[in-house]
Coordinates of all heavy atoms in Angstrom, one line a residue:
M1 N -36.8 25.7 102.3 CA -36.4 24.5 103.0 C -35.2 24.7 103.7 O -35.1 24.3 104.9 CB -36.3 23.4 101.9 CG -35.8 22.1 102.5 SD -37.1 20.9 102.4 CE -36.3 19.5 103.1
L2 N -34.2 25.3 103.1 CA -32.9 25.5 103.8 C -33.0 26.5 104.9 O -32.4 26.3 106.0 CB -31.9 26.0 102.8 CG -30.4 26.3 103.3 CD1 -29.9 24.9 103.8 CD2 -29.6 26.9 102.3
S3 N -33.9 27.5 104.7 CA -34.1 28.5 105.8 C -34.8 27.8 107.0 O -34.5 28.2 108.2 CB -34.9 29.7 105.3 OG -36.2 29.2 104.9
Q4 N -35.6 26.8 106.8 CA -36.2 26.1 107.9 C -35.2 25.3 108.7 O -35.2 25.3 109.9 CB -37.3 25.1 107.4 CG -38.7 25.7 107.2 CD -39.7 24.7 106.7 OE1 -39.3 23.8 106.0 NE2 -40.9 24.8 107.2
Q5 N -34.3 24.7 107.9 CA -33.2 23.9 108.6 C -32.3 24.8 109.4 O -31.9 24.5 110.5 CB -32.4 23.1 107.6 CG -33.2 22.0 107.0 CD -32.4 21.3 105.9 OE1 -31.4 21.8 105.4 NE2 -32.8 20.1 105.5
I6 N -32.0 26.0 108.9 CA -31.1 26.9 109.6 C -31.9 27.4 110.8 O -31.3 27.5 111.9 CB -30.7 28.1 108.7 CG1 -29.8 27.5 107.6 CG2 -30.1 29.2 109.5 CD1 -29.5 28.6 106.5
A7 N -33.1 27.7 110.7 CA -33.9 28.2 111.8 C -34.0 27.1 112.9 O -33.9 27.4 114.1 CB -35.3 28.7 111.4
T8 N -34.2 25.9 112.5 CA -34.3 24.8 113.5 C -33.0 24.6 114.2 O -32.9 24.4 115.4 CB -34.7 23.5 112.8 OG1 -35.9 23.7 112.0 CG2 -34.9 22.3 113.7
F9 N -31.9 24.7 113.4 CA -30.5 24.6 114.0 C -30.3 25.7 115.0 O -29.8 25.5 116.1 CB -29.5 24.5 112.9 CG -28.1 24.4 113.5 CD1 -27.6 23.3 114.0 CD2 -27.3 25.6 113.4 CE1 -26.3 23.2 114.5 CE2 -26.0 25.5 113.9 CZ -25.5 24.3 114.4
V10 N -30.6 26.9 114.6 CA -30.4 28.1 115.5 C -31.2 27.9 116.8 O -30.7 28.2 117.9 CB -30.7 29.4 114.8 CG1 -30.7 30.6 115.7 CG2 -29.6 29.6 113.7
A11 N -32.4 27.5 116.7 CA -33.3 27.3 117.8 C -32.7 26.2 118.7 O -32.8 26.3 120.0 CB -34.7 27.0 117.4
A12 N -32.2 25.1 118.2 CA -31.7 24.0 119.0 C -30.5 24.5 119.7 O -30.2 24.1 120.9 CB -31.4 22.8 118.1
V13 N -29.6 25.3 119.1 CA -28.4 25.7 119.7 C -28.8 26.7 120.8 O -28.2 26.7 121.9 CB -27.5 26.4 118.7 CG1 -26.3 27.1 119.3 CG2 -26.9 25.4 117.7
G14 N -29.8 27.5 120.6 CA -30.2 28.5 121.6 C -30.8 27.8 122.8 O -30.6 28.3 124.0
E15 N -31.4 26.7 122.7 CA -32.0 26.0 123.8 C -31.0 25.2 124.6 O -31.2 25.0 125.8 CB -33.1 25.0 123.3 CG -34.3 25.7 122.7 CD -35.2 24.6 122.1 OE1 -34.9 23.4 122.2 OE2 -36.2 25.1 121.5
S16 N -29.9 24.8 124.0 CA -28.9 24.0 124.7 C -28.1 24.8 125.7 O -27.5 24.2 126.6 CB -27.9 23.4 123.7 OG -27.1 24.4 123.1
G17 N -28.2 26.1 125.7 CA -27.5 26.9 126.7 C -26.0 27.1 126.3 O -25.7 27.4 125.1
H18 N -25.2 27.0 127.3 CA -23.8 27.3 127.0 C -23.0 26.1 126.6 O -23.1 25.0 127.2 CB -23.1 27.8 128.3 CG -21.7 28.2 128.2 ND1 -21.3 29.2 127.4 CD2 -20.6 27.6 128.7 CE1 -19.9 29.3 127.5 NE2 -19.5 28.3 128.3
E19 N -22.3 26.2 125.5 CA -21.5 25.1 125.0 C -20.1 25.1 125.6 O -19.5 26.2 125.9 CB -21.3 25.2 123.5 CG -22.6 25.0 122.7 CD -22.3 25.0 121.2 OE1 -21.1 24.8 120.8 OE2 -23.3 25.1 120.5
E20 N -19.6 23.9 125.9 CA -18.2 23.8 126.4 C -17.2 24.1 125.4 O -17.3 23.6 124.2 CB -18.0 22.4 127.0 CG -17.8 22.4 128.5 CD -17.5 21.0 129.0 OE1 -18.5 20.4 129.3 OE2 -16.4 20.6 129.0
L21 N -16.1 24.8 125.8 CA -15.1 25.1 124.8 C -14.2 23.8 124.7 O -14.0 23.1 125.6 CB -14.3 26.3 125.3 CG -15.0 27.6 125.4 CD1 -14.1 28.7 126.0 CD2 -15.5 28.0 124.0
A22 N -13.5 23.7 123.6 CA -12.6 22.6 123.4 C -11.4 22.8 124.2 O -10.9 24.0 124.5 CB -12.2 22.6 121.9
P23 N -10.8 21.8 124.8 CA -9.6 21.9 125.7 C -8.4 22.3 124.9 O -8.2 21.9 123.7 CB -9.5 20.5 126.3 CG -10.1 19.6 125.3 CD -11.2 20.4 124.7
L24 N -7.6 23.1 125.5 CA -6.3 23.6 124.8 C -5.2 22.8 125.5 O -5.2 22.4 126.6 CB -6.1 25.1 125.0 CG -7.2 26.0 124.4 CD1 -6.9 27.4 124.8 CD2 -7.1 25.9 122.9
I25 N -4.1 22.7 124.7 CA -2.9 22.0 125.3 C -2.1 22.9 126.2 O -1.3 22.4 127.0 CB -2.0 21.4 124.1 CG1 -1.5 22.5 123.2 CG2 -2.8 20.4 123.3 CD1 -0.5 22.1 122.2
A26 N -2.3 24.2 126.1 CA -1.6 25.2 126.9 C -2.4 26.4 126.9 O -3.3 26.6 126.1 CB -0.2 25.4 126.3
P27 N -2.0 27.4 127.8 CA -2.7 28.7 127.8 C -2.5 29.4 126.5 O -1.5 29.2 125.8 CB -2.1 29.4 128.9 CG -1.5 28.4 129.8 CD -1.1 27.3 128.9
P28 N -3.5 30.2 126.1 CA -3.4 30.9 124.8 C -2.1 31.7 124.6 O -1.6 31.7 123.5 CB -4.6 31.8 124.8 CG -5.6 31.2 125.7 CD -4.7 30.5 126.8
F29 N -1.6 32.4 125.6 CA -0.4 33.2 125.4 C 0.8 32.3 125.2 O 1.7 32.7 124.5 CB -0.1 34.1 126.6 CG 0.1 33.4 127.9 CD1 1.4 33.1 128.3 CD2 -0.9 33.1 128.8 CE1 1.7 32.4 129.4 CE2 -0.7 32.5 130.0 CZ 0.6 32.1 130.3
V30 N 0.8 31.0 125.7 CA 1.9 30.1 125.4 C 1.9 29.6 123.9 O 2.9 29.6 123.3 CB 1.9 28.9 126.4 CG1 2.9 27.9 126.0 CG2 2.1 29.4 127.8
I31 N 0.7 29.3 123.5 CA 0.5 28.9 122.1 C 0.9 30.0 121.1 O 1.7 29.8 120.2 CB -0.9 28.5 121.8 CG1 -1.3 27.2 122.7 CG2 -1.2 28.2 120.4 CD1 -2.7 26.8 122.6
G32 N 0.4 31.2 121.4 CA 0.8 32.4 120.6 C 2.3 32.7 120.6 O 2.9 33.0 119.6
G33 N 2.9 32.6 121.8 CA 4.3 32.9 121.9 C 5.2 31.8 121.2 O 6.2 32.2 120.6
S34 N 4.7 30.6 121.3 CA 5.5 29.5 120.6 C 5.4 29.7 119.1 O 6.4 29.5 118.3 CB 5.1 28.1 121.0 OG 3.7 27.9 120.7
M35 N 4.2 30.0 118.6 CA 4.0 30.3 117.1 C 4.9 31.4 116.7 O 5.5 31.4 115.6 CB 2.6 30.5 116.8 CG 1.7 29.2 116.9 SD 0.1 29.3 116.2 CE -0.5 30.9 116.6
F36 N 4.9 32.5 117.5 CA 5.8 33.6 117.2 C 7.2 33.3 117.1 O 8.0 33.6 116.2 CB 5.5 34.8 118.2 CG 6.4 36.0 118.0 CD1 6.1 36.9 116.9 CD2 7.4 36.3 118.8 CE1 6.8 38.0 116.7 CE2 8.2 37.4 118.6 CZ 7.9 38.2 117.5
A37 N 7.7 32.5 118.1 CA 9.1 32.0 118.2 C 9.4 31.2 117.0 O 10.5 31.3 116.4 CB 9.3 31.3 119.5
I38 N 8.5 30.3 116.6 CA 8.8 29.4 115.4 C 8.9 30.3 114.1 O 9.8 30.1 113.3 CB 7.7 28.4 115.2 CG1 7.8 27.3 116.3 CG2 7.7 27.7 113.9 CD1 6.6 26.4 116.4
L39 N 8.0 31.3 114.0 CA 8.1 32.2 112.8 C 9.4 33.0 112.8 O 9.9 33.3 111.8 CB 6.9 33.1 112.7 CG 5.6 32.3 112.4 CD1 4.4 33.2 112.5 CD2 5.7 31.7 111.0
V40 N 9.8 33.5 114.0 CA 11.1 34.2 114.1 C 12.3 33.3 113.7 O 13.2 33.8 112.9 CB 11.3 34.8 115.5 CG1 12.7 35.3 115.7 CG2 10.3 35.9 115.7
V41 N 12.3 32.1 114.1 CA 13.3 31.2 113.7 C 13.3 31.0 112.2 O 14.4 31.0 111.5 CB 13.2 29.8 114.4 CG1 14.1 28.8 113.8 CG2 13.5 30.0 115.9
L42 N 12.1 30.8 111.6 CA 12.0 30.6 110.1 C 12.5 31.9 109.4 O 13.1 31.8 108.4 CB 10.6 30.3 109.7 CG 10.1 28.9 110.1 CD1 8.7 28.7 109.8 CD2 11.0 27.8 109.4
L43 N 12.2 33.1 110.0 CA 12.7 34.3 109.4 C 14.2 34.4 109.4 O 14.8 34.8 108.4 CB 12.1 35.5 110.2 CG 12.6 36.9 109.8 CD1 12.1 37.3 108.5 CD2 12.3 37.9 110.9
L44 N 14.8 34.0 110.5 CA 16.3 34.0 110.6 C 16.9 33.0 109.6 O 17.9 33.3 109.0 CB 16.7 33.8 112.0 CG 16.3 34.8 113.0 CD1 16.7 34.4 114.5 CD2 17.0 36.2 112.7
I45 N 16.3 31.9 109.5 CA 16.8 30.9 108.5 C 16.7 31.5 107.1 O 17.6 31.4 106.3 CB 16.0 29.6 108.6 CG1 16.3 28.9 109.9 CG2 16.3 28.7 107.4 CD1 15.5 27.7 110.2
T46 N 15.6 32.2 106.8 CA 15.4 32.8 105.5 C 16.5 33.9 105.2 O 17.1 34.0 104.2 CB 14.0 33.4 105.3 OG1 13.1 32.3 105.5 CG2 13.8 34.0 103.9
L47 N 16.7 34.7 106.3 CA 17.6 35.8 106.1 C 19.1 35.3 106.0 O 19.9 36.0 105.5 CB 17.5 36.8 107.3 CG 16.3 37.6 107.3 CD1 16.2 38.5 108.6 CD2 16.2 38.5 106.1
S48 N 19.3 34.1 106.6 CA 20.7 33.6 106.5 C 21.1 33.2 105.0 O 22.3 33.1 104.7 CB 20.9 32.4 107.4 OG 20.1 31.3 106.9
Y49 N 20.1 33.0 104.2 CA 20.4 32.7 102.8 C 20.5 34.0 101.9 O 20.7 33.9 100.7 CB 19.3 31.8 102.2 CG 19.4 30.4 102.7 CD1 18.6 29.9 103.7 CD2 20.3 29.5 102.1 CE1 18.8 28.6 104.2 CE2 20.5 28.2 102.5 CZ 19.7 27.8 103.6 OH 19.8 26.5 104.0
S50 N 20.4 35.1 102.5 CA 20.4 36.4 101.7 C 21.7 36.7 101.1 O 21.8 37.5 100.1 CB 19.9 37.5 102.5 OG 20.8 37.8 103.5
N51 N 22.8 36.2 101.6 CA 24.1 36.5 101.1 C 24.6 35.6 99.9 O 25.6 35.7 99.4 CB 25.2 36.5 102.2 CG 25.4 35.1 102.7 OD1 24.6 34.2 102.5 ND2 26.4 34.9 103.5
L52 N 23.8 34.6 99.6 CA 24.2 33.6 98.5 C 24.4 34.3 97.2 O 25.2 33.9 96.4 CB 23.2 32.5 98.4 CG 23.1 31.5 99.6 CD1 22.0 30.5 99.4 CD2 24.5 30.9 99.8
G53 N 23.6 35.3 96.9 CA 23.7 36.0 95.6 C 24.9 36.9 95.5 O 25.3 37.4 94.4
R54 N 25.5 37.2 96.6 CA 26.7 38.1 96.7 C 28.0 37.4 96.9 O 29.0 38.1 97.1 CB 26.4 39.2 97.8 CG 25.3 40.1 97.5 CD 25.2 41.2 98.5 NE 24.9 40.6 99.9 CZ 23.7 40.7 100.5 NH1 22.7 41.2 99.8 NH2 23.5 40.2 101.7
R55 N 28.0 36.1 96.7 CA 29.3 35.4 96.9 C 30.3 35.6 95.8 O 31.5 35.8 96.0 CB 29.0 33.9 97.0 CG 28.5 33.5 98.3 CD 28.5 32.0 98.4 NE 28.0 31.5 99.7 CZ 27.7 30.3 100.0 NH1 27.9 29.4 99.1 NH2 27.2 30.0 101.2
H56 N 29.8 35.6 94.6 CA 30.7 35.7 93.4 C 30.2 36.9 92.5 O 29.1 37.3 92.6 CB 30.7 34.4 92.6 CG 31.0 33.2 93.4 ND1 32.2 32.9 93.8 CD2 30.2 32.2 93.8 CE1 32.2 31.8 94.5 NE2 30.9 31.3 94.5
T57 N 31.1 37.3 91.7 CA 30.8 38.4 90.8 C 29.9 37.8 89.7 O 30.0 36.6 89.3 CB 32.0 39.0 90.1 OG1 32.7 38.0 89.4 CG2 32.9 39.7 91.1
A58 N 29.0 38.6 89.1 CA 28.1 38.2 88.1 C 28.9 37.8 86.8 O 29.8 38.5 86.4 CB 27.1 39.2 87.8
V59 N 28.6 36.7 86.2 CA 29.2 36.3 84.9 C 28.2 36.5 83.8 O 27.1 36.1 83.9 CB 29.7 34.8 85.1 CG1 30.3 34.3 83.8 CG2 30.6 34.6 86.2
E60 N 28.7 37.0 82.7 CA 27.9 37.2 81.5 C 27.5 35.9 81.0 O 28.3 35.0 80.8 CB 28.6 38.1 80.5 CG 27.8 38.5 79.3 CD 26.8 39.6 79.8 OE1 27.0 40.3 80.7 OE2 25.7 39.7 79.1
E61 N 26.2 35.7 80.7 CA 25.7 34.4 80.1 C 26.0 34.5 78.6 O 25.7 35.4 77.9 CB 24.2 34.3 80.4 CG 23.7 33.0 79.9 CD 22.2 32.8 80.1 OE1 21.6 33.7 80.8 OE2 21.6 31.8 79.7
H62 N 26.5 33.4 78.1 CA 26.7 33.3 76.6 C 25.4 33.0 75.9 O 24.6 32.3 76.5 CB 27.8 32.3 76.3 CG 27.4 30.8 76.6 ND1 27.3 30.3 77.8 CD2 27.0 29.9 75.7 CE1 26.9 29.1 77.7 NE2 26.7 28.8 76.5
S63 N 25.3 33.4 74.7 CA 24.1 33.2 73.9 C 24.3 31.9 73.1 O 25.2 31.9 72.2 CB 23.9 34.4 73.0 OG 22.7 34.1 72.2
D64 N 23.6 30.9 73.4 CA 23.7 29.6 72.7 C 22.4 29.4 71.8 O 21.3 29.2 72.4 CB 23.8 28.5 73.7 CG 24.0 27.1 73.0 OD1 24.2 27.1 71.8 OD2 24.0 26.1 73.7
P65 N 22.5 29.6 70.5 CA 21.3 29.5 69.7 C 20.7 28.1 69.6 O 19.6 27.9 69.2 CB 21.8 29.9 68.3 CG 23.3 29.7 68.3 CD 23.7 29.8 69.7
H66 N 21.5 27.1 70.1 CA 21.0 25.7 70.0 C 20.3 25.3 71.3 O 19.9 24.1 71.5 CB 22.1 24.7 69.7 CG 22.8 25.0 68.4 ND1 22.2 24.9 67.2 CD2 24.0 25.5 68.2 CE1 23.0 25.2 66.3 NE2 24.1 25.7 66.8
R67 N 20.2 26.2 72.2 CA 19.5 26.0 73.5 C 18.0 25.8 73.2 O 17.5 26.3 72.2 CB 19.7 27.2 74.4 CG 19.5 26.9 75.8 CD 20.1 28.0 76.7 NE 19.5 29.3 76.3 CZ 19.7 30.4 77.0 NH1 20.5 30.3 78.1 NH2 19.2 31.5 76.7
Q68 N 17.3 25.0 74.0 CA 15.9 24.7 73.8 C 15.1 26.0 73.8 O 14.2 26.2 73.0 CB 15.4 23.7 74.8 CG 14.0 23.3 74.5 CD 13.5 22.2 75.5 OE1 14.2 21.8 76.4 NE2 12.3 21.7 75.3
H69 N 15.3 26.9 74.8 CA 14.6 28.1 74.9 C 15.6 29.3 74.8 O 16.1 29.8 75.8 CB 13.8 28.2 76.2 CG 12.8 27.1 76.4 ND1 11.7 27.1 75.7 CD2 12.8 26.0 77.2 CE1 11.0 26.0 76.1 NE2 11.7 25.4 77.0
P70 N 15.9 29.7 73.6 CA 16.9 30.8 73.4 C 16.4 32.1 74.0 O 15.2 32.4 74.0 CB 17.2 30.8 71.9 CG 16.0 30.3 71.3 CD 15.4 29.2 72.3
N71 N 17.3 32.9 74.4 CA 17.0 34.2 74.9 C 16.7 35.1 73.7 O 17.6 35.5 73.0 CB 18.1 34.8 75.7 CG 17.8 36.1 76.4 OD1 16.7 36.6 76.3 ND2 18.8 36.7 77.0
K72 N 15.4 35.5 73.6 CA 15.0 36.3 72.4 C 15.3 37.8 72.6 O 15.1 38.5 71.7 CB 13.6 36.0 72.1 CG 13.3 34.6 71.7 CD 11.8 34.5 71.3 CE 11.6 33.2 70.6 NZ 11.3 32.0 70.9
H73 N 15.7 38.1 73.8 CA 16.0 39.5 74.1 C 17.5 39.8 74.3 O 17.8 40.8 74.9 CB 15.2 40.0 75.3 CG 13.7 39.7 75.2 ND1 12.9 40.4 74.4 CD2 12.9 38.8 75.8 CE1 11.7 40.0 74.5 NE2 11.7 39.0 75.3
D74 N 18.3 39.0 73.7 CA 19.7 39.2 73.9 C 20.2 40.3 72.9 O 20.0 40.2 71.7 CB 20.5 37.9 73.5 CG 21.9 37.9 73.9 OD1 22.4 38.9 74.5 OD2 22.7 37.0 73.5
P75 N 20.8 41.4 73.4 CA 21.1 42.5 72.5 C 22.3 42.1 71.6 O 22.4 42.8 70.5 CB 21.5 43.6 73.5 CG 21.8 42.9 74.8 CD 21.0 41.7 74.8
S76 N 23.1 41.1 71.9 CA 24.2 40.8 71.0 C 23.8 40.1 69.7 O 24.6 40.0 68.8 CB 25.2 39.9 71.8 OG 24.7 38.7 72.1
R77 N 22.6 39.6 69.7 CA 22.1 38.8 68.5 C 21.7 39.8 67.4 O 21.7 39.5 66.2 CB 21.0 37.9 68.9 CG 21.5 36.7 69.7 CD 20.5 35.8 70.1 NE 19.9 35.2 68.9 CZ 18.8 34.4 68.9 NH1 18.3 34.1 70.0 NH2 18.3 33.9 67.8
G78 N 21.3 41.0 67.8 CA 20.8 42.0 66.8 C 19.5 41.6 66.2 O 19.0 40.5 66.2
H79 N 18.7 42.6 65.8 CA 17.4 42.4 65.2 C 17.3 43.0 63.8 O 17.7 44.0 63.4 CB 16.3 43.0 66.1 CG 16.0 42.1 67.3 ND1 17.0 41.5 68.0 CD2 14.8 41.8 67.8 CE1 16.4 40.8 69.0 NE2 15.1 41.0 68.9

């Protein structure tokens, strides 16, 4: 049944001839160029945040046993 519907659809499309393309708001190279420019701007914004981890020196985290999820791999607690 499904193959009959597909065959009917394919035959109907073949008889209609050439279909009109959907209109674009700009030429394809303008659309592609603007998408590329937007992605480059997003890349630069992302890269601008790369120095946040290097602002301060790393501080050792204290082991608090009363914390809800204690660090079970803390070497100072001993096993």
